[in-house]
Amino acid sequence: MSHRRPRRARTLAAAAAAGLFLLPVQLASAQPTPTTASTADAQPASDTPAAGLQTIKLKVGIKQEDLAALRARGHQARMEGKTSFPVPAPTAQSAERTDRAGALPQKARPALTLLDGQKTSQAVAAANPQSPSQAGGLGTYVAAPIGDKPDGALSEECFKSDNVESGIGRIHNRFTYCRRLNIEAEYWSIDNKGVPIEEEGTTSATLELFSQGDDKERRARVFAQIQKDSVDYDWGPIDNIFVAPGVPLSLIGNCVQDSDVCHATRSSYTMPWATWDNNPEWAYWDIYNHEENSEGRDKISYNQWNVEFFTDNEEYKTFQRGRTAARLLRCDSAAYFNLGKAKYPKACVYSEVTPFLTYTLGSDHHAVAEHIDTAQNRPNATYPLLAPPGVPWPRDKSIPGKYVAGNPDAPGLHRITKKLHPDESKANKDNKDGACFKTGPERDKYLDTGLPTRPPQGEQCDEYPFASTLEGAGNPKPDFSVKSIPAKDNRVAGGMLRKYYVDDRILAWDATLPRPNETNDRFYVHIK
């Protein structure tokens, strides 16, 4: 906690210096009137990149008699020799969702179609490219249990990463999000009719948000906490110590869409600023997405959440709530996600990021990384050739899937599975066998353009785009690459790909979706 020098002279200053804490009544016209919540909403943090912490503002009125009582208690504390406001212990957050004490709720936004959700995700991802972690891509997904506080190792890793204090915050992996920003509350004294009389001061603090998407339910848990010792008062020398710390602040997490799309659990969490400043506990809310309002084979649905700040009870009136910018979740009930015996039948992930898998040169899968690097950047140097040797090529090869930061519209890859896409999977295998071994039903197509020699013992035929993608060797345009590589490298890279599909929750291609080329999941490969 810090006590700043007041920004303006007030009629209170002389009285405070003399130990008097009663506010003289003044005409309402003596100070500008704050905007009420009925005419304007608080402006949330922007989704565009910005340097430094962003600030969310709220405006609150305090009844004159209650402000006078606060100052009288402060005066009594000073007379008793106390040097600061006595900090109350943290209160428990109720698990029951209750009405917000007469406060104006935010207007629910309409449901998002799959196309709306995908376009919103891509637009935000383009404006806020997430910086790579030390591993070279987004942070590694860790199936951390969702408890009543953030996982320690995961939250520490997220908050130490880039992006956490700018733009939309840090999508650390598709299941993990964190954000650090400022909130600033402006307080006014009001008369018994709720008319603002005088601006009394401001209180500011640093807020930390953390969220984990669930990998077994259609929900995400949202955590909020005021960073320890970050509260800053600007009320005046005496009020900074004996009044402002005792004023309460409420936080609540909300589902932004209508209740038929999603809902939030748990009540608002209310404590004095001084308690928030020293509270090690996190407030939290669960944001549930409803399967009944979904589309497609995998029952896909998008919804948003935010956190609101306010103070509303008999003594306080919030003129303007503070709200964080709404973050977007994509939820599904796809039944084909598993790693070994572990199954992940439902999940919610953060979609405002471009998903990509990272392979690393010089690693235990170097040969695969090198192959993909060549295919993405020098496709004409790859097999199969587009024309036999000595024959002019009709065009250059164009192999998709390269990750380009800030460009979520780049040609990407779409996942398929053998069970859901037997024809596409067979076409990929037949064309790969033809290009690599000159065997199978497609062998004649590649007699003069496939690999000159079969992979020797100890090596395997690697293909890119992967056999598990719609863009694989069976795609009507022969824009793919095959190469003989060590079997060990191929096995390692294959295991990484299978795990990646689960870690980033890449949904398989669904041709029945509206405008499938735009609404299906798209992913990329980054070579480090």
Side-chain angles (χ1 to χ4, degrees):
M1 178 182 71
S2 62
H3 305 295
R4 289 163 50 187
R5 182 175 56 85
R7 295 173 298 181
R8 54 195 169 272
R10 300 188 188 83
T11 55
L12 175 65
L20 302 176
F21 289 83
L22 297 180
L23 174 69
V25 177
Q26 301 194 9
L27 295 176
S29 59
Q31 294 287 343
T33 303
T35 305
T36 64
S38 61
T39 59
D41 234 345
Q43 294 299 313
S46 169
D47 280 348
T48 56
L53 294 179
Q54 295 170 348
T55 298
I56 298 176
K57 296 185 178 183
L58 60 151
K59 294 181 180 179
V60 179
I62 310 176
K63 289 183 179 179
Q64 288 179 286
E65 58 268 30
D66 296 307
L67 185 59
L70 274 174
R71 286 177 170 144
R73 286 199 295 271
H75 178 64
Q76 181 63 35
R78 289 184 67 210
M79 296 297 292
E80 294 172 357
K82 294 183 172 64
T83 58
S84 64
F85 177 84
V87 179
T91 56
Q93 183 186 9
S94 171
E96 183 180 356
R97 189 79 175 185
T98 56
D99 185 26
R100 290 176 279 179
L104 277 173
Q106 62 180 323
K107 184 178 180 181
R109 300 182 188 178
L112 292 161
T113 65
L114 296 193
L115 188 59
D116 291 336
Q118 192 70 275
K119 285 186 173 181
T120 298
S121 298
Q122 290 180 341
V124 175
N128 298 269
Q130 299 289 282
S131 64
S133 70
Q134 291 183 351
L138 295 180
T140 303
Y141 168 64
V142 178
I146 298 179
D148 58 4
K149 60 182 179 180
D151 177 80
L154 191 58
S155 62
E156 180 180 7
E157 185 180 291
C158 188
F159 279 112
K160 285 184 177 179
S161 300
D162 293 337
N163 308 102
V164 72
E165 296 183 352
S166 62
I168 65 170
R170 171 75 177 176
I171 297 179
H172 194 55
N173 55 56
R174 294 249 283 183
F175 283 88
T176 309
Y177 169 81
C178 62
R179 180 79 174 96
R180 187 178 289 123
L181 46 82
N182 284 334
I183 58 174
E184 183 178 287
E186 184 178 287
Y187 291 95
W188 290 67
S189 57
I190 57 176
D191 62 19
N192 56 7
K193 294 182 180 180
V195 177
I197 301 299
E198 183 179 14
E199 183 180 356
E200 299 298 331
T202 60
T203 301
S204 61
T206 300
L207 176 78
E208 292 185 332
L209 299 176
F210 182 87
S211 180
Q212 286 179 256
D214 203 328
D215 57 12
K216 291 186 174 63
E217 290 190 65
R218 298 173 68 104
R219 66 147 183 172
R221 178 160 288 185
V222 176
F223 298 88
Q225 183 185 60
I226 298 296
Q227 190 178 56
K228 183 176 175 59
D229 295 329
S230 71
V231 177
D232 191 1
Y233 307 106
D234 188 8
W235 290 57
I238 305 301
D239 284 356
N240 283 349
I241 300 173
F242 291 102
V243 176
V247 175
L249 173 73
S250 297
L251 272 61
I252 192 166
N254 296 312
C255 163
V256 173
Q257 275 68 40
D258 291 323
S259 58
D260 61 336
V261 177
C262 56
H263 74 277
T265 64
R266 301 176 69 86
S267 66
S268 59
Y269 198 6
T270 304
M271 294 187 298
W273 281 100
T275 305
W276 280 114
D277 199 26
N278 296 277
N279 180 29
E281 303 301 321
W282 290 77
Y284 69 87
W285 306 268
D286 286 326
I287 312 297
Y288 280 93
N289 178 278
H290 302 161
E291 189 178 272
E292 295 77 15
N293 196 318
S294 61
E295 298 181 66
R297 176 198 63 220
D298 297 328
K299 299 179 181 178
I300 308 168
S301 176
Y302 287 87
N303 70 262
Q304 297 163 301
W305 62 263
N306 67 9
V307 174
E308 286 187 291
F309 324 101
F310 62 96
T311 303
D312 282 301
N313 54 31
E314 293 182 358
E315 296 87 13
Y316 300 91
K317 175 182 179 180
T318 301
F319 293 107
Q320 177 179 293
R321 285 181 169 228
R323 294 189 181 115
T324 63
R327 292 277 60 84
L328 187 64
L329 292 166
R330 191 214 66 201
C331 304
D332 71 83
S333 299
Y336 45 82
F337 284 94
N338 67 281
L339 284 174
K341 294 183 179 180
K343 298 183 182 299
Y344 308 97
K346 301 178 181 182
C348 288
V349 297
Y350 283 95
S351 62
E352 296 168 306
V353 68
T354 304
F356 62 93
L357 166 65
T358 298
Y359 284 136
T360 305
L361 296 168
S363 66
D364 58 0
H365 54 275
H366 167 81
V368 171
E370 185 179 47
H371 176 205
I372 296 175
D373 183 63
T374 301
Q376 290 180 344
N377 298 302
R378 300 179 301 282
N380 286 357
T382 65
Y383 289 96
L385 308 176
L386 286 185
V391 177
W393 279 23
R395 60 178 176 85
D396 290 332
K397 288 179 79 170
S398 178
I399 299 179
K402 180 179 179 179
Y403 172 72
V404 181
N407 184 12
D409 291 322
L413 306 177
H414 299 86
R415 181 188 179 190
I416 60 173
T417 73
K418 291 181 179 179
K419 183 176 181 180
L420 295 173
H421 311 89
D423 294 341
E424 292 85 350
S425 297
K426 183 177 185 304
N428 282 351
K429 181 180 185 306
D430 289 345
N431 280 272
K432 183 202 78 169
D433 288 347
C436 288
F437 309 109
K438 296 181 175 61
T439 61
E442 301 293 340
R443 62 184 180 277
D444 292 344
K445 188 189 301 184
Y446 302 101
L447 287 176
D448 298 321
T449 60
L451 288 181
T453 59
R454 295 170 60 97
Q457 187 175 4
E459 294 197 359
Q460 294 177 348
C461 185
D462 184 40
E463 63 197 288
Y464 177 81
F466 311 113
S468 56
T469 65
L470 196 64
E471 292 73 22
N475 194 283
K477 292 182 67 174
D479 286 318
F480 70 99
S481 173
V482 292
K483 184 179 181 181
S484 178
I485 65 168
K488 177 184 69 66
D489 292 50
N490 206 23
R491 285 194 297 269
V492 172
M496 293 174 64
L497 177 62
R498 288 189 293 274
K499 186 174 185 301
Y500 168 76
Y501 283 145
V502 177
D503 287 352
D504 264 12
R505 193 77 182 185
I506 303 299
L507 297 175
W509 174 264
D510 183 356
T512 69
L513 292 181
R515 297 171 69 169
N517 288 324
E518 298 175 71
T519 53
N520 272 284
D521 263 5
R522 182 189 307 162
F523 75 98
Y524 299 85
V525 181
H526 171 58
I527 302 302
K528 179 184 176 185

